[in-house]
Every structure is written in structure tokens, then in C-alpha cells.
Amino acid sequence: MPDYLPEDKIKSKIIIGTRGSELALWQANYVKDLLAGIGLDSELKIIKTQGDKILNLSFDKLEGKGFFTKELEEELLNGTIDLAVHSHKDLPTNHPEGLIIAAVSDREDPAELLLILKDCVDVQQKLSVKFGGMIGTSSNRRKAQLLAIRPDLEIEELRGNVITRIQKLRDEKYDAIMLAKAGVLRLGLDLSEFYIEELEPNELIPAPAQGVLAYQIRENDTALFEKLQAINNHDIAEQIGIERKVLNLFEGGCQMPLGCYCRKDGSTFQIWTSKAADGTDFPDRLFTQTETADGIAEKIVAKFADDRKFPMNIFITRELSESSYLRNALAKHQIEIDGRSLIRTFPYINKLDPFILRNIDWVFFSSKNAIEYFFKLDPQLPKKVKFGVLGRASEDALRLHGKKADFNGEEEGIDTLDIAKEFAKQANGTTILFPSAKGSLKTIQKALAAETKIIELTVYETVSEENVQQSNAEVLIFTSPSNVDSYFAENLLEPDQKVICIGKTTGQKFDDMGVKYTLPFSPDEMGLAEAIFALD
């Protein structure tokens, strides 16, 4: 490396190093415009990387790390460029001596997009891809998480830049492909020819730092460093710092089947992590909340230690099918399951008055049972009606009836009141039908404005089972307040048993009992798997 003197003056023209793909050039020109905004003139230099040259091998078969970054870093060190623009997720966690990340961009939406050929769509299936469909992706992280949700899918290698990948889908070499939403948004692509399924980052966990750009310079270029602080997003740097520290502690690169996503809710860091041994391994998932970033990456990585102990058995107040996500997640660690509902449900009405369905704009479901009993009534709904649900479990139940949720409250968190407020922003002033259980708490309804027309429809009722058998399982999972009532009518909680609840209303029962419990972020089987994995 040349022996540079400290640079206390900025060059009259900054040379920006970039790859030559459409997305890389967009990113470099974006930075060029930012530099102009802070009074710096710049020009681009296109550099070809190993990842651009070798397109016939998957990432896990390429040697080393930094497939899309090494050549840019070498030119920085040689002084032929002054600033390299990277997709931050492509960077190894250990930088070459003499280089630093001077600043990072705002974070573009880190969600994943599944682009599906329209004749390969089946909305009754999770992810909306037909049974046994072929999905193209070069990422082991995506592959492992996709197969955990849909083990019937065929995952095939897909390399090339964004435009090339989309063209391969157009050519029907795949039934669907997966892309980062950030790249699609940055390029402003029109994808209306495809059916698009969006997977939120707490469902399919993205790569560390996905959606963020890194601005890399020489460490001794102090004047440029100071100037770049004007375009540095310090909050995002802190959040992806956690993600990248997790990656570093796992000693992984972009080929590792690791997802890690951090965001802030007020002052609280919310962190989702997914890790598999390879692209075919069922991934372990963890959700963590903390008020401080100090030491949290180390705590996350410790949860994935090979020698950690899991509960031997779990009781859940729901029957689990052989294909259920939770059953497969627990089977990986030889955890026994006792799954049985402690309540019975019955239809409350057997015939639906068609008059109440006239002119409705929304149907909102707060449970899977409400969906099942509502559609048993064979409702003739207006064509433009929209559907709202509380979470993924209800969304999956809605899919079985060929319907897609237009509002899913899961992204708003575990507080039903917060979900209600977000739904109100979309639905206030409309006519909303609420199929529900007898005695429903009506939390969503209470948050709606006075001008909103609310139609209540009781479609089922619950009855508790009698003589419920005590469980000696190490962990008890309760899926509804009624199941709590049924279990504790005759049983007590043993001292060492741990409790997990689905929903705050279920948790309220244990608040009243003075019992500590865990509330998963997502009120579904994926959230339950995360909560079990987080137990000490």
C-alpha cells in the first residue's frame, strides 16, 4: 500500500469507484448528487469485480469474501479512486487496513419481493406460488427461509444483475424469482406484468445492512471524512452496526444463510435473526428487544451456540399439523409437543342476511375461527371489498378461501391498540364488517372514528372443555383467553414451568394471576418459534 500523508484538503474532483450494473450506477450517481449538495464535484469510475465476472457459480462456491467489493477496495488503496460506493450487505465485516466506512445512507425498504409469473400464482398457497413452483435465487439465506415456509418449492440458482434476473423470469426459466425491494425501488422498475408478493423483514429476514449504501474511503483522508458526515445517517449506522456485528461474530460473509434485521421502535431496538447451516437446513429464528446496543450482538450469537439447551417438551393449546412451521422448528431440536385445544367452537348463526353485505368496504377478522365460520356462510361479497387481519396466521387462513389481506396488523407490533390505530388510518369513514366471536372485546372497533360505519356480526361462540388434564411440559403455550380459563379451571402452574401467550388479551389473564409470561412479536407459529428459541 502506498504511504499516504494525511489529507487535510479535499481534491477538486472526487473519483467515485462503482461497479457497472444498472443498480450500482444508480447508487453511484445518487452519491454523486449528494456530494454536489455539500459542495463536492465528482466523477465515476467503473470497476469490474469478481462477482461480475464469474456468473456460472453460486456464491457459496466462490473462494473468499467480498466478491463485489475487493477490486474497488484495491483501487482505493492504490489511490486511483477516492470513494467507493457499495451495497453495504456485500461488504465483509473486516475492512482492509487503511480503509474505513466514512458514512452510510438512509435505509431503503429492506423487504423482499417475490416476482411471480401470473399463470404460476395460487393465492391459496403461502407466498402465492403454485405448489411445487420453481423459484430463482442465488442466496442460501433466502433459500433456507423459503423452504421453511414452503418445503414443496424447488429453489434454483439465479445469478446476474437485477435487469438480467427479471429477463430470465420473463423468459419463463423460473416460475418466480426473489429480489430485494430496495433495488427495485431505486431503479424505478415497472413490474406490473408480474404478480408481486412482498415479504416484510420480520417474515423473511434480510441480509445484514440490506437496503443501505456504504461510502468507503481511505482512513487518512480526514478532510473527506469530515465532509461526508453531512450525508451520514447516524441512526441507521447504529442499527446496522448491530446486524454487522452479529455477522462478524458468526464469521460469515454474504454466502452464509444468515439474516439479521434491526429497527428502532422509539428507544427500543427490535432485532430479528435467522441462521441455518446451509440452504436446505431449517433455520433457527430469534427475536430480541433491548434498550441498549451494548453487548446485544454477543447475546444474540450465544443463543445459537451448538451446546445450548432447549426445553425437552412443550404444551400448546392448539393441534399442530405434521407440516406446521412450529412442529418442524421444534423437531429440529428433538422437542416433544403436546398439542390439544381446550375449547370447542360452534357456529352462532347458520344463515347470513345478504342485506348486511351491501355496500361494505372492508371485512376485518381478528381470528382464524372468525374467517372459517364466516366463509361457511357462503357470503356474496362486493367485488371491491378489502380484507383486514391481525396477523400472518389469519392471513394464511384467509388465503385458503382465495382472498388476500389488504391490511395485516402484524407490522405494527404486538399491541392490538397500535394495530387498531393504523387500521383506522386506512379505513376511517368507510363501512366495515366485523365477523367475530360472541363476547369479542372489539378493540379494533373502538379506535375507529365516529363517521365510520361498523357492522358487528357474531359468527361463532366458544365452550370450554371439562376435566382438562394437567401438563408437566417445561413450556406452556396458550393461544387464547378461553384456553387459559379452561386450563386453570382445575389446574395450577408448576414452579418451573414457563408460559408463552399469543395476544395481549391472553397475556392479560396471566397479568391478573401475577404470572410472568413471554409475548411473541408475531402472533403466529413463526413468532412462537422465535419466542421458544429466546427462552433461557
Side-chain angles (χ1 to χ4, degrees):
M1 169 184 169
D3 186 17
Y4 288 105
L5 293 173
E7 300 180 21
D8 56 3
K9 293 183 179 180
I10 297 177
K11 293 181 179 179
S12 59
K13 181 169 285 189
I14 304 299
I15 308 300
I16 300 174
T18 176
R19 295 168 57 213
S21 70
E22 292 89 344
L23 181 56
L25 289 173
W26 183 97
Q27 293 171 170
N29 279 297
Y30 169 78
V31 176
K32 183 179 180 181
D33 291 342
L34 290 178
L35 294 182
I38 59 173
L40 297 179
D41 189 20
S42 61
E43 65 180 41
L44 307 187
K45 180 180 180 180
I46 297 175
I47 301 164
K48 207 161 191 177
T49 67
Q50 180 190 21
D52 298 312
K53 297 172 184 176
I54 304 175
L55 298 175
N56 61 329
L57 294 176
S58 60
F59 291 139
D60 58 342
K61 293 182 176 62
L62 292 173
E63 294 183 2
K65 300 176 183 178
F67 313 130
F68 296 110
T69 61
K70 183 179 178 182
E71 288 78 4
L72 276 75
E73 292 176 329
E74 288 174 347
E75 297 229 15
L76 263 180
L77 291 170
N78 291 333
T80 52
I81 63 173
D82 304 300
L83 184 152
V85 179
H86 304 283
S87 290
H88 210 323
K89 67 183 179 65
D90 293 337
L91 278 170
T93 55
N94 294 314
H95 304 295
E97 184 179 353
L99 300 183
I100 58 169
I101 301 301
V104 302
S105 70
D106 297 344
R107 189 169 210 164
E108 186 55 90
D109 191 332
E112 305 272 19
L113 296 181
L114 198 56
L115 277 56
I116 311 170
L117 294 174
K118 288 186 177 178
D119 60 358
C120 296
V121 172
D122 181 359
V123 296
Q124 291 185 301
Q125 300 281 350
K126 291 181 180 180
L127 309 181
S128 296
V129 182
K130 69 179 183 179
F131 186 85
M134 180 192 294
I135 297 182
T137 178
S138 56
S139 164
N140 274 332
R141 169 187 58 83
R142 288 169 174 159
K143 181 178 180 179
Q145 294 187 68
L146 284 171
L147 290 176
I149 300 171
R150 286 281 306 277
D152 62 284
L153 294 174
E154 183 179 349
I155 312 296
E156 294 293 336
E157 184 69 22
L158 173 64
R159 291 287 309 278
N161 60 44
V162 173
I163 304 300
T164 300
R165 296 181 191 196
I166 293 172
Q167 187 58 50
K168 289 180 180 180
L169 180 60
R170 286 195 183 102
D171 295 339
E172 300 186 4
K173 294 182 179 180
Y174 306 88
D175 298 319
I177 64 171
M178 180 158 280
L179 299 173
K181 185 178 180 181
V184 171
L185 290 176
R186 284 170 176 154
L187 290 173
L189 299 175
D190 179 6
L191 301 176
S192 57
E193 63 192 285
F194 307 114
Y195 182 94
I196 300 176
E197 185 88 1
E198 182 170 336
L199 286 81
E200 298 294 342
N202 67 335
E203 182 176 6
L204 199 142
I205 303 173
Q210 184 158 307
V212 180
L213 304 181
Y215 311 147
Q216 190 178 39
I217 66 171
R218 290 181 289 276
E219 188 173 13
N220 62 356
D221 201 345
T222 55
L224 182 56
F225 177 89
E226 293 299 328
K227 194 74 172 176
L228 290 176
Q229 297 319 296
I231 60 171
N232 185 26
N233 189 320
H234 296 276
D235 289 337
I236 293 299
E238 183 180 36
Q239 292 165 38
I240 67 170
I242 295 174
E243 301 169 12
R244 301 266 299 166
K245 183 66 177 292
V246 169
L247 179 64
N248 177 265
L249 292 172
F250 278 126
E251 300 181 346
C254 61
Q255 73 272 37
M256 174 178 274
L258 173 73
C260 190
Y261 171 62
C262 175
R263 71 181 188 190
K264 287 194 83 171
D265 181 20
S267 62
T268 302
F269 292 94
Q270 297 178 328
I271 309 153
W272 287 265
T273 308
S274 169
K275 184 177 181 295
D278 54 48
T280 60
D281 181 40
F282 196 99
D284 289 319
R285 292 177 59 112
L286 177 70
F287 171 66
T288 311
Q289 293 195 94
T290 178
E291 297 298 316
T292 175
D294 295 339
I296 188 59
E298 288 81 359
K299 292 178 182 177
I300 289 171
V301 172
K303 286 291 185 181
F304 290 85
D306 292 336
D307 60 352
R308 72 156 295 184
K309 293 183 179 180
F310 290 93
M312 295 180 62
N313 42 42
I314 284 175
F315 168 75
I316 180 171
T317 61
R318 176 187 294 168
E319 295 181 3
L320 299 180
S321 68
E322 290 300 317
S323 62
S324 93
Y325 185 98
L326 182 60
R327 181 177 290 279
N328 289 328
L330 300 184
K332 178 179 178 178
H333 299 286
Q334 294 80 50
I335 301 173
E336 296 181 0
I337 305 167
D338 177 12
R340 48 192 165 96
S341 179
L342 310 182
I343 59 173
R344 289 175 291 158
T345 60
F346 298 94
Y348 190 76
I349 56 174
N350 295 310
K351 188 176 181 181
L352 187 60
D353 182 356
F355 180 79
I356 68 170
L357 301 180
R358 293 181 184 177
N359 302 317
I360 61 170
D361 301 299
W362 285 87
V363 183
F364 192 97
F365 299 103
S366 56
S367 70
K368 293 194 298 182
N369 282 331
I371 294 170
E372 296 308 314
Y373 281 103
F374 177 70
F375 282 101
K376 283 180 180 179
L377 298 171
D378 191 25
Q380 302 302 305
L381 295 166
K383 288 185 178 180
K384 294 184 178 181
V385 71
K386 295 181 179 181
F387 297 94
V389 296
L390 278 183
R392 279 196 297 261
S394 292
E395 183 174 32
D396 290 342
L398 190 60
R399 282 180 180 275
L400 297 177
H401 297 279
K403 309 295 182 182
K404 188 77 184 296
D406 299 281
F407 173 87
N408 186 335
E410 188 163 300
E411 270 299 290
E412 312 312 324
I414 57 180
D415 193 322
T416 308
L417 184 57
D418 289 340
I419 295 172
K421 291 177 181 177
E422 288 302 314
F423 179 62
K425 292 177 183 178
Q426 295 190 34
N428 270 340
T430 64
T431 300
I432 310 170
L433 178 70
F434 287 90
S436 59
K438 183 180 179 182
S440 170
L441 293 177
K442 300 179 174 56
T443 305
I444 303 295
Q445 293 91 313
K446 293 173 183 176
L448 297 169
E451 67 270 18
T452 305
K453 185 176 180 181
I454 296 172
I455 303 174
E456 302 286 0
L457 180 66
T458 302
V459 292
Y460 75 101
E461 59 182 324
T462 61
V463 176
S464 296
E465 295 282 9
E466 297 180 355
N467 302 317
V468 173
Q469 183 180 355
Q470 172 94 18
S471 172
N472 295 318
E474 294 178 46
V475 180
L476 306 181
I477 301 175
F478 293 91
T479 56
S480 72
S482 300
N483 275 294
V484 178
D485 291 337
S486 182
Y487 185 85
F488 288 101
E490 300 179 28
N491 300 305
L492 297 173
L493 192 68
E494 296 180 4
D496 294 331
Q497 287 180 317
K498 296 179 179 178
V499 174
I500 297 175
C501 295
I502 287 285
K504 293 199 76 172
T505 54
T506 307
Q508 185 62 50
K509 292 286 183 178
F510 289 95
D511 287 334
D512 297 341
M513 296 162 60
V515 172
K516 183 180 178 181
Y517 61 92
T518 297
L519 197 64
F521 182 88
S522 305
D524 56 20
E525 292 192 5
M526 196 174 280
L528 286 174
E530 292 171 348
I532 293 167
F533 200 76
L535 292 174
D536 294 323

